[in-house]
Amino acid sequence: MQKDHDIIIVGGGMVGAALAARLGNAGFSIGLIERGDAPKAPSGDYDLRISSLNARSLAFIKLSGTELPKERCCPFRHIDVSNQDGTGHSVFSAADSDMKDFGLFIENRTLQHALWERLKELPSVTCYTQSAPVSTVAAGEARLVELDDGKMLSTRLVVGADGARSTLRQLAGIEVTSHDYHQRAMIINVETELPQQDVSWQVFTPTGPMAMLPLPGHRASLVWYDSDKATKAREAMEDDMLKIAIEAAFPKRLGNLTRVVSRASFPIKRQHARRYIGKRLALIGDAAHVVHPLAGQGLNIGLHDADTLADMVIKGRDPGDYLNLLRFECQRRAANQAMIAATDSFHHLFTGAKPLRQLGDLSLHLAERFPFAKRMMMQQANGRNPFRMW
Ligand SMILES: Cc1cc2nc3c(=O)[nH]c(=O)nc-3n(C[C@H](O)[C@H](O)[C@H](O)COP(=O)(O)OP(=O)(O)OC[C@H]3O[C@@H](n4cnc5c(N)ncnc54)[C@H](O)[C@@H]3O)c2cc1C
């Protein structure tokens, strides 16, 4: 039997679940298809994967009626950027832009779980877990989606939020351009002598940036970007050796490290879908774009895609209206392309050849000297258009 939904969302990660919650809260009938199980409640130790949420992302999540557990969130008010050799240093403070904070850090699994808890409260949302699409076809005013358990769903708009290896994107025949940075991000959860101080620290080294992201209490998440080879060597180290290596490379911002709690590493690449839309189909989040994570914006721009699409669906008469989808593509492609270019330039400016690194130093000095330039950078990072004056 065929089941109808206003909108079908493939992928119940943070971006897909946020869109489902926002549209479900606005009364639309939503089918959310997730390959895995519903996320479990976070308990005990902090998870390795954490993300920053900026003001626009937080406002979007709030509109879905989702409550984030305060005890597992860590707001931050300053971003401290410097070079390892001490040649450039700039501190960005939320207060300089009349903001209370820049947003907060939260574990990925905590955010995803909070969104799914909200979905359970929304009667118009149906979650199809342990399910994946095997085919999709546009049929007149609808799109049909066949699931791997034989269910057939019909909808006026199908949204692919199924991550970088999106099945929906492949089923729609949408290709991607991609670039391998030949780098890995090693994430190390550490216990620190001093408690977090509302600061996110970023230190550029010739082989890649390092970041110390705050977590509640005496905990932080250290992200260390480096070549595949150097990262693999660090992964093989015992905890004590790794602690010494971190202390040698990263300034003691929170006193001594008292413990390495856990670690893992991820390959770094960028990817961009050639199209975000098709007939009654749209891609959002990592299904549409993957950016270098050094600026902590991948999830944010995915949530901004969801925000823009939700706004058009709520204001429009037909969720799959092609002109609306074209507007979505124009708006989001321009913003995402700008973020891809910015993170790419950061990567090359601070880890490239010496002349490029000197240019990177200069940009930190300029940011320090010209508050206007600094404010524009902060607005961009917060999902606001820095050229908009009203
Ligand atoms: C090291 C690192 C650090 C990062 N730090 C930050 C940060 O600080 N801030 C930030 O904004 N971003 C950050 N990012 C980026 C961020 O993690 C991603 O952009 C974000 O997770 C993308 O979310 P998503 O929901 O689009 O995709 P995903 O998180 O990949 O979720 C996709 C979902 O779809 C499901 N799925 C997959 N295939 C199917 C299928 N065929 N059928 C049904 N379901 C399917 C999956 O099970 C999953 O639940 C970081 C990335 C990395 C690698």
Side-chain angles (χ1 to χ4, degrees):
M1 209 180 69
Q2 187 176 299
K3 176 106 174 80
D4 293 338
H5 292 287
D6 293 329
I7 297 122
I8 288 177
I9 300 165
V10 181
M14 296 175 285
V15 173
L19 180 66
R22 172 72 185 105
L23 290 175
N25 198 32
F28 289 87
S29 142
I30 306 293
L32 179 67
I33 303 166
E34 167 56 44
R35 185 175 57 181
D37 290 317
K40 292 197 177 69
S43 64
D45 231 327
Y46 288 102
D47 194 27
L48 270 172
R49 292 291 305 262
I50 69 163
S51 295
S52 58
L53 292 177
N54 65 21
R56 181 174 173 190
S57 298
L58 286 167
F60 176 62
I61 288 166
K62 198 168 174 197
L63 281 177
S64 69
T66 304
E67 293 280 339
L68 299 179
K70 284 201 174 61
E71 67 285 1
R72 293 190 87 96
C73 295
C74 189
F76 63 111
R77 294 176 177 81
H78 312 279
I79 303 172
D80 183 308
V81 187
S82 61
N83 260 333
Q84 196 182 37
D85 61 9
T87 50
H89 184 214
S90 189
V91 180
F92 299 79
S93 292
D96 294 344
S97 277
D98 302 323
M99 294 186 293
K100 192 163 63 69
D101 52 45
F102 282 117
L104 52 82
F105 283 98
I106 185 169
E107 296 154 286
N108 291 5
R109 66 173 183 186
T110 300
L111 172 59
Q112 194 193 5
H113 178 260
L115 291 163
W116 276 72
E117 286 297 290
R118 177 65 185 139
L119 295 179
K120 281 190 206 157
E121 296 167 354
L122 295 167
S124 65
V125 177
T126 309
C127 297
Y128 301 87
T129 50
Q130 297 198 341
S131 298
V134 288
S135 73
T136 178
V137 60
E141 296 295 287
R143 183 170 266 279
L144 302 177
V145 179
E146 185 190 357
L147 303 187
D148 54 2
D149 59 4
K151 277 196 196 77
M152 186 63 89
L153 308 178
S154 114
T155 185
R156 287 189 287 160
L157 174 67
V158 63
V159 181
D162 47 348
R165 293 191 196 152
S166 167
T167 302
L168 193 78
R169 189 183 65 221
Q170 287 163 27
L171 291 175
I174 299 177
E175 292 184 351
V176 296
T177 54
S178 60
H179 171 74
D180 189 340
Y181 287 101
H182 297 291
Q183 272 202 329
R184 291 184 80 79
M186 186 169 179
I187 306 184
I188 312 163
N189 199 313
V190 292
E191 202 172 76
T192 56
E193 191 183 0
L194 302 174
Q196 69 86 17
Q197 292 158 16
D198 299 340
V199 188
S200 164
W201 282 284
Q202 184 108 35
V203 174
F204 289 102
T205 82
T207 52
M210 295 178 80
M212 173 91 93
L213 313 177
L215 285 171
H218 290 249
R219 292 294 281 275
S221 175
L222 198 110
V223 192
W224 194 339
Y225 300 90
D226 209 331
S227 65
D228 293 341
K229 199 171 155 205
T231 306
K232 293 247 159 74
R234 275 181 209 118
E235 280 183 313
M237 288 177 182
E238 298 288 333
D239 283 357
D240 283 350
M241 285 301 294
L242 183 59
K243 191 163 93 65
I244 293 168
I246 297 169
E247 284 173 342
F250 198 86
K252 285 190 182 176
R253 303 298 195 204
L254 293 172
N256 290 322
L257 294 188
T258 46
R259 191 162 63 103
V260 167
V261 184
S262 52
R263 68 292 266 282
S265 83
F266 301 88
I268 303 298
K269 63 171 187 175
R270 82 170 127 76
Q271 181 174 287
H272 207 179
R274 289 196 186 275
R275 288 185 283 126
Y276 291 180
I277 61 167
K279 200 163 176 215
R280 297 195 172 272
L281 179 143
L283 300 177
I284 60 172
D286 276 21
H289 43 72
V290 177
V291 303
H292 196 305
L294 66 83
Q297 292 298 324
L299 171 61
N300 281 303
I301 59 173
L303 291 171
H304 302 173
D305 295 343
D307 187 16
T308 302
L309 190 62
D311 202 45
M312 287 181 184
V313 167
I314 290 167
K315 288 183 183 149
R317 271 190 298 168
D318 174 358
D321 176 70
Y322 197 69
L323 281 180
N324 266 348
L325 292 182
L326 271 178
R327 272 179 40 226
F328 162 76
E329 161 114 35
C330 286
Q331 282 188 25
R332 292 311 306 157
R333 181 170 289 281
N336 296 334
Q337 188 61 57
M339 187 55 76
I340 288 173
T343 50
D344 210 44
S345 331
F346 274 139
H347 168 75
H348 292 297
L349 272 180
F350 292 100
T351 62
K354 197 158 183 216
L356 276 176
R357 295 208 306 272
Q358 283 168 340
L359 206 59
D361 289 351
L362 181 67
S363 63
L364 287 183
H365 286 304
L366 288 177
E368 213 39 45
R369 285 191 63 128
F370 297 105
F372 176 67
K374 219 175 183 180
R375 213 165 20 247
M376 277 178 52
M377 285 185 203
M378 287 192 287
Q379 284 180 345
Q380 174 79 34
N382 258 295
R384 297 183 190 161
N385 181 351
F387 300 104
R388 201 165 157 167
M389 298 302 181
W390 59 92

